[in-house]
């Protein structure tokens, strides 16, 4: 009989499920998309039931369309969009739409946290309080929706909610727990000091577990409507960036990951909890037991390109559009784009900054704009790489993952903008591969994630920096780097007007 694990990648635009065999071969993949709701500037919400239905339909398709037998599915694990708040009542019912990682309505709550705990907050959590994180969202609900807060008994993060419905048990893994900023990264427990400071009952924080540990098996109820066997073992899983790093083989400090999904991430493996970036980068527990990672986040990486396409090139094929942009000259005929279309996180934690096109010229065409968007997103990653440089962190290889790594042109562009060797993966599935690896190790198919990576992770093409392009991008980046400071005041004024007129 064949045996498979399923990696569920619960992303922002869609859920993708990948069935893998013990040799690391993909047996089948399915996905299911869902809506993102942005009812006001800064708001970003999804209905947790959409994640549940999407995941169940995608798994069903593995069985019904792709011919996997339910009894062959031995284990499931998850990669989830991080930080999103799913608030539950005493019966485990969802109390309001989930507030997502790119929801930036919580600036006031972040300031309150900073005022109350200052640098101590960074010492405890390894992070600054930023709008996207879970604690500020809890405080926002407490302040603005007291009738909902009164009913709230626990919270979960997105993938934990899906796992809860599958297994009937509430839990959160360490990698996602760090992203709540309610977690003491050095002690490895929920922080009583932070819960007490903001009057969050510790009983709301779910039990903690390791990413490779078993959370339970499939309940009668979920088995009945999903078609999965009750014996299928369900493992903790991790935040999407931790899983992305596992699936990209980022298992040692000389490698970094660059991920272009809805968000953009530059991530570095860290062996212990003591490296101090003073909150300039996020610091999180890894999905690999007892290790960590640091990262910087561009809030709208793929999202900027998606926005542009939906708004100005809705009928075009994505790949064809990117290929036409590749034919435009380097620097897009003098057009520069900053990808702050939903605000920014790293290096500028600024919910009110907005994007700009600088250098618009009547001789440019649509594909110059596409090229400028792609170049601008990549420059925002260089802003993050600068922080590593400033802290004396060196590395030689960038492993590229995410939707953006589907394009040869964008991979070469990354090598040229970063002036580093960029490596792609042969089976680019993003964090879903990492999630499947967590289940494979949880089942005991491998002793460790490092062992599993030898079979599951395959590096593909290498993109070397091209000297001429590197020099030109260095010059362009110097201009890009000034745009934030020079547009900040204007963006803030516009946001104020918008809010007043709302
Ligand atoms: N063919 C392509 N070439 C370049 N970029 C692409 C291509 N297809 C998708 N993308 C980008 O990848 C992003 C989706 O990446 P993905 O890793 O699937 O996101 P998420 O996990 O956040 O849902 C899209 O926002 C889009 O900008
Ligand atoms: O907020 C973060 C990391 O801190 C994001 O990376 C989210 O985890 C969402 O990721 P994608 O949907 O882009 O994969």
């Amino acid at each position: 009989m064949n045996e498979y694990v399923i990696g569920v990648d619960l992303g922002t635009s869609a859920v993708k499920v990948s069935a893998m065999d013990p040799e690391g071969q993909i047996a089948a993949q399915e996905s299911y998309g869902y809506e993102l709701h942005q009812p006001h500037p800064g708001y970003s919400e999804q209905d947790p039931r959409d994640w549940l239905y999407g995941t169940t339909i995608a798994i069903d398709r593995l069985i019904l369309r792709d011919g996997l037998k339910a009894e062959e599915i031995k284990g499931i694990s998850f990669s989830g969009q991080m930080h999103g708040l799913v608030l539950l009542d005493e019966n485990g019912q969802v109390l309001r739409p989930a507030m997502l990682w790119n929801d930036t309505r919580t600036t006031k709550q972040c300031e309150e946290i900073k005022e109350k705990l200052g640098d101590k907050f960074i010492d405890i959590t390894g992070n600054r309080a930023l709008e996207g994180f879970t604690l500020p969202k809890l405080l926002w609900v407490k302040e603005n929706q007291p009738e909902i807060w009164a009913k709230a008994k626990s919270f979960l993060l997105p993938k934990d909610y899906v796992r809860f419905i599958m297994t009937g048990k509430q839990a959160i893994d360490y990698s996602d727990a760090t992203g709540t900023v309610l977690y003491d990264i050095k002690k490895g427990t929920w922080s009583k000091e932070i819960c007490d400071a903001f009057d969050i009952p510790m009983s709301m924080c779910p039990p903690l577990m390791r990413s490779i540990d078993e959370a339970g098996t499939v309940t009668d109820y979920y088995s009945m409507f999903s078609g999965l066997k009750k014996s299928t073992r369900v493992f903790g899983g991790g935040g999407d960036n931790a899983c992305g790093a596992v699936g990209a083989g980022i298992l040692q400090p000389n490698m970094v990951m660059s991920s272009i999904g809805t968000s953009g991430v530059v991530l570095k493996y860290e062996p212990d909890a003591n490296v101090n970036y003073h909150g300039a980068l996020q610091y999180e527990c890894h999905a690999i037991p007892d290790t960590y990672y640091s990262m910087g986040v561009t809030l709208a990486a793929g999202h900027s390109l998606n926005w542009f396409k939906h708004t100005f090139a809705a009928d075009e094929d994505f790949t064809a559009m990117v290929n036409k942009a590749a034919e435009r000259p380097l620097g897009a005929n003098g057009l520069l784009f900053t990808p702050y279309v939903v605000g920014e996180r790293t290096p500028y934690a600024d919910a009110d900054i907005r994007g700009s096109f600088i250098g618009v010229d009547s001789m440019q065409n649509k594909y110059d704009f596409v090229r400028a968007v792609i170049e601008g997103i990549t420059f925002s990653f260089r802003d993050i790489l600068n922080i590593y440089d400033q802290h004396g962190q060196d590395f030689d290889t960038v492993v590229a993952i995410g939707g953006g790594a589907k394009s040869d042109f964008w991979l070469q562009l990354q090598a040229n903008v970063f002036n580093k060797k960029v490596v792609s993966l042969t089976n680019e599935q993003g964090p879903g591969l990492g999630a499947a690896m967590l289940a494979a190790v949880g089942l005991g198919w491998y002793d460790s994630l490092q062992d599993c990576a030898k079979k599951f992770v395959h590096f593909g093409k290498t993109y070397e920096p091209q000297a001429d392009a590197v020099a030109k991008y260095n010059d362009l980046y110097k201009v890009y780097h000034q745009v934030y400071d020079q547009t900040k005041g204007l963006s803030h004024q516009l946001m104020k007007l918008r809010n007043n007129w709302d």
Side-chain angles (χ1 to χ4, degrees):
M1 184 175 77
N2 295 319
E3 294 196 330
Y4 302 106
V5 283
I6 294 180
V8 176
D9 170 15
L10 194 73
T12 312
S13 54
V15 57
K16 292 157 226 162
V17 299
S18 310
M20 317 267 312
D21 71 15
E23 295 301 303
Q25 298 300 313
I26 302 172
Q29 282 186 310
E30 292 288 351
S31 72
Y32 197 85
Y34 31 70
E35 294 283 306
L36 177 72
H37 306 286
Q38 295 176 301
H40 303 288
Y43 283 43
S44 182
E45 298 185 337
Q46 278 175 331
D47 183 341
R49 281 168 304 196
D50 288 348
W51 300 328
L52 187 60
Y53 302 150
T55 305
T56 309
I57 291 167
I59 292 177
D60 263 355
R61 286 180 178 167
L62 289 177
I63 298 171
L64 299 175
R65 252 194 213 170
D66 303 316
L68 259 69
K69 295 193 182 69
E71 58 274 21
E72 294 173 341
I73 302 173
K74 297 296 173 193
I76 297 184
S77 195
F78 303 86
S79 150
Q81 45 164 301
M82 297 170 65
H83 315 296
L85 172 66
V86 182
L87 212 48
L88 302 176
D89 71 8
E90 60 188 351
N91 300 312
Q93 295 296 319
V94 174
L95 282 165
R96 68 177 316 289
M99 293 163 71
L100 304 196
W101 58 276
N102 54 359
D103 188 301
T104 54
R105 77 184 80 170
T106 60
T107 304
K108 177 167 174 271
Q109 288 71 29
C110 290
E111 275 158 14
E112 283 163 14
I113 294 170
K114 200 164 147 198
E115 227 160 75
K116 199 160 207 176
L117 289 183
D119 283 351
K120 191 146 202 225
F121 188 82
I122 302 180
D123 286 345
I124 297 173
T125 66
N127 288 284
R128 273 188 291 171
L130 299 178
E131 282 85 351
F133 299 165
T134 323
L135 169 62
K137 297 183 197 315
L138 285 163
L139 299 181
W140 186 93
V141 177
K142 196 171 165 202
E143 190 175 329
N144 295 282
Q145 298 182 325
E147 67 298 347
I148 290 180
W149 183 253
K151 292 187 204 149
K153 283 289 169 294
S154 64
F155 69 85
L156 291 174
L157 265 54
K159 65 151 196 340
D160 302 311
Y161 174 70
V162 176
R163 179 170 15 75
F164 164 49
I165 301 299
M166 274 188 188
T167 62
K169 291 182 190 148
Q170 295 189 22
I172 186 170
D173 81 288
Y174 291 103
S175 73
D176 258 346
T178 19
T180 65
V181 290
L182 277 161
Y183 177 83
D184 187 322
I185 196 162
K186 292 194 184 109
K187 289 191 185 147
T189 55
W190 292 115
S191 167
K192 184 163 174 1
E193 196 167 351
I194 293 180
C195 286
D196 287 352
F198 300 101
D199 206 14
I200 307 277
M202 285 202 79
S203 57
M204 283 187 82
C205 302
L208 292 158
M209 68 183 302
R210 296 190 312 169
S211 298
I212 54 172
D213 286 346
E214 187 167 332
T217 46
V218 171
T219 61
D220 285 349
Y221 176 66
Y222 192 72
S223 161
M224 198 166 65
F225 75 88
S226 69
L228 284 172
K229 291 282 175 203
K230 286 195 290 178
S231 55
T232 305
R233 295 167 68 188
V234 183
F235 298 92
D240 55 4
N241 292 299
C243 291
V246 168
I250 307 290
L251 308 169
Q252 51 198 23
N254 74 327
M255 292 164 102
V256 299
M257 174 182 89
S258 120
S259 163
I260 302 175
T262 304
S263 68
V265 168
V266 177
L267 177 152
K268 183 173 171 300
Y269 172 98
E270 306 281 0
D272 58 56
N274 296 317
V275 185
N276 195 345
Y277 295 100
H278 307 285
L281 294 168
Q282 291 171 228
Y283 214 83
E284 320 274 357
C285 289
H286 211 317
I288 308 164
D290 305 318
T291 65
Y292 303 82
Y293 68 88
S294 56
M295 70 173 167
V297 176
T298 293
L299 279 187
H303 182 64
S304 291
L305 193 59
N306 265 0
W307 155 76
F308 187 89
K309 184 183 156 4
H310 282 139
T311 313
F312 303 109
D315 298 334
E316 290 190 48
D317 172 68
F318 214 107
T319 307
M321 180 187 82
V322 172
N323 288 344
K324 282 187 193 152
E327 288 165 14
R328 305 307 292 164
L330 185 156
N333 282 310
L335 187 64
L336 202 54
F337 171 74
T338 52
Y340 309 140
V341 297
V342 293
E344 189 50 301
R345 198 187 287 170
T346 320
Y348 314 110
D350 185 343
D352 289 345
I353 187 71
R354 283 298 176 271
S356 36
F357 282 107
I358 311 275
V360 179
D361 185 311
S362 65
M363 59 76 67
Q364 290 151 354
N365 72 19
K366 186 161 68 183
Y367 303 104
D368 287 309
F369 278 73
V370 177
R371 181 162 185 136
V373 170
I374 291 173
E375 290 180 341
I377 295 163
T378 317
F379 284 142
S380 79
F381 281 37
R382 179 147 164 189
D383 273 343
I384 301 170
L385 288 168
N386 278 351
I387 302 176
Y388 284 112
D389 276 352
Q390 285 154 10
H391 286 81
Q393 299 283 350
D394 200 18
F395 43 83
D396 45 39
T397 306
V398 176
V399 182
I401 67 161
K406 286 183 197 158
S407 155
D408 246 1
F409 158 65
W410 206 342
L411 288 160
Q412 183 61 56
L413 198 145
Q414 289 189 57
N416 292 339
V417 171
F418 305 158
N419 195 16
K420 300 264 182 222
K421 182 170 74 183
V422 169
V423 180
S424 63
L425 300 174
T426 50
N427 52 351
E428 207 317 281
Q429 306 162 64
L433 174 62
M437 289 166 69
L438 295 174
V441 173
L443 281 171
W445 288 358
Y446 295 94
D447 289 339
S448 67
L449 286 161
Q450 284 83 349
D451 276 348
C452 184
K454 288 177 196 148
K455 274 272 183 281
F456 277 56
V457 181
H458 303 284
F459 294 116
K461 205 168 152 188
T462 297
Y463 299 79
E464 297 285 351
Q466 298 161 320
D468 184 48
V470 169
K472 286 182 177 151
Y473 278 128
N474 274 339
D475 289 342
L476 264 180
Y477 175 71
K478 284 182 199 137
V479 183
Y480 172 90
H481 194 61
Q482 300 171 53
V483 181
Y484 174 78
D485 279 335
Q486 302 210 15
T487 57
K488 179 170 66 174
L490 298 173
S491 272
H492 290 185
Q493 285 177 52
L494 282 172
M495 188 57 82
K496 209 179 236 170
L497 291 178
R498 231 174 130 182
N499 287 335
N500 288 344
W501 293 340
D502 242 8

